[in-house]
Amino acid sequence: MGCFGFLKAMMIAFNGIIFLAGIGILGVGIWVKVDSGSIFNFLGKIDNVPPEINQVLNVGYLLIAIGALLVVIGFLGCCGAIRESKCMLVLFFMIVLLVFIAEVAGAVVILVFRPVADSLFEKVGTAAVKSIQKDYGSNTDITGLWNTTMDGLKCCGFYNYTDFTGSPYYTAHNNTYPPRCCLVVSPCNATMADSKIADGCFPKIKKLIDSNTVVIVGVALGIAALEICAMIVSMTLYCRIKSTRA
């Protein structure tokens, strides 16, 4: 009974954390869909963006779906352990197993189609630069969204300050660049922008991801290990409850 009680308590605690995490991710997903100044809404307003980016723009829905799934998993795990419900424990096991299989399949797809993703980002970059050169400084929505993005990420343009060359802002401000491109020094001419070397937003995000690859892989492996442990514990509880009631 001591081992059974320990596994039951661990199951309740573990799934309680999953339930709370699901609520958090669900909240972030709703925020992404509601916040008009997010980077995803910004990308959606750029002309000539490749149609493949629609999958990226749906990240808010993806977060909502993941959050809802985690809430369901946490609920089934907690209630299944507390009430010693075989039905809930089996449902918990099946859902976690499906999630685990989907994660493995997703990892394989990402590895196989990495060149396709690189090509997609290149198309997005071309469209973003064209949007800057056409609308930055004349279109208040595009200008505001770029300013919000650059202030938030502490970056300049999509690739670098040269993205703004020829834009309405550049022409209207005597061939100068936004202050963020000179690390908030104004006026920001080509010489100052070149000496300050403010990172572009895309290279900065890419550098952040690349520098944390080990952490990301470690977290992914940790999640996979937890999922395997959760399936083992749920089946152990199921078998114990079944044998006790037999």
Side-chain angles (χ1 to χ4, degrees):
M1 290 299 290
C3 181
F4 177 77
F6 173 75
L7 290 177
K8 184 176 177 180
M10 290 298 295
M11 188 75 170
I12 295 170
F14 175 73
N15 286 283
I17 295 172
I18 289 180
F19 183 82
L20 294 176
I23 292 177
I25 294 175
L26 188 63
V28 172
I30 294 172
W31 171 75
V32 168
K33 295 308 299 179
V34 171
D35 181 19
S36 61
S38 69
I39 185 64
F40 308 106
N41 285 327
F42 161 70
L43 287 174
K45 292 187 178 182
I46 297 178
D47 294 332
N48 303 318
V49 171
E52 296 94 331
I53 199 63
N54 288 332
Q55 280 71 34
V56 178
L57 295 175
N58 289 329
V59 69
Y61 294 117
L62 178 62
L63 291 175
I64 291 173
I66 292 174
L69 180 63
L70 290 178
V71 168
V72 172
I73 291 174
F75 174 79
L76 288 174
C78 281
C79 288
I82 293 172
R83 301 182 61 182
E84 298 185 2
S85 170
K86 294 188 295 181
C87 180
M88 285 186 174
L89 289 173
V90 169
L91 282 174
F92 173 83
F93 175 85
M94 292 177 63
I95 293 175
V96 173
L97 178 61
L98 290 174
V99 170
F100 181 78
I101 293 172
E103 288 172 350
V104 173
V108 172
V109 169
I110 290 173
L111 291 174
V112 172
F113 291 97
R114 179 68 181 271
V116 176
D118 292 338
S119 175
L120 173 61
F121 285 128
E122 184 177 344
K123 291 179 182 179
V124 171
T126 301
V129 172
K130 287 182 179 178
S131 174
I132 291 173
Q133 294 175 345
K134 175 186 175 184
D135 296 319
Y136 187 84
S138 62
N139 185 308
T140 55
D141 289 336
I142 295 295
T143 303
L145 288 170
W146 265 115
N147 288 338
T148 300
T149 302
M150 292 191 294
D151 289 339
L153 297 177
K154 302 295 187 290
C155 57
C156 169
F158 191 86
Y159 292 115
N160 53 47
Y161 73 93
T162 59
D163 295 344
F164 294 94
T165 302
S167 67
Y169 179 95
Y170 180 83
T171 303
H173 291 77
N174 298 320
N175 298 341
T176 58
Y177 300 95
R180 171 52 60 190
C181 297
C182 291
L183 305 181
V184 200
V185 176
S186 184
C188 177
N189 55 37
T191 303
M192 293 184 64
D194 194 48
S195 64
K196 297 293 183 181
I197 316 178
D199 291 332
C201 295
F202 175 69
K204 189 161 188 177
I205 294 173
K206 189 174 184 297
K207 186 189 299 182
L208 180 64
I209 294 174
D210 291 341
S211 63
N212 291 281
T213 300
V214 175
V215 175
I216 294 172
V217 171
V219 170
L221 292 175
I223 291 173
L226 286 174
E227 288 171 345
I228 293 172
C229 291
M231 288 187 286
I232 293 173
V233 171
S234 65
M235 278 296 96
T236 302
L237 291 175
Y238 172 85
C239 293
R240 181 61 181 271
I241 293 170
K242 184 177 180 181
S243 63
T244 301
R245 294 180 179 178

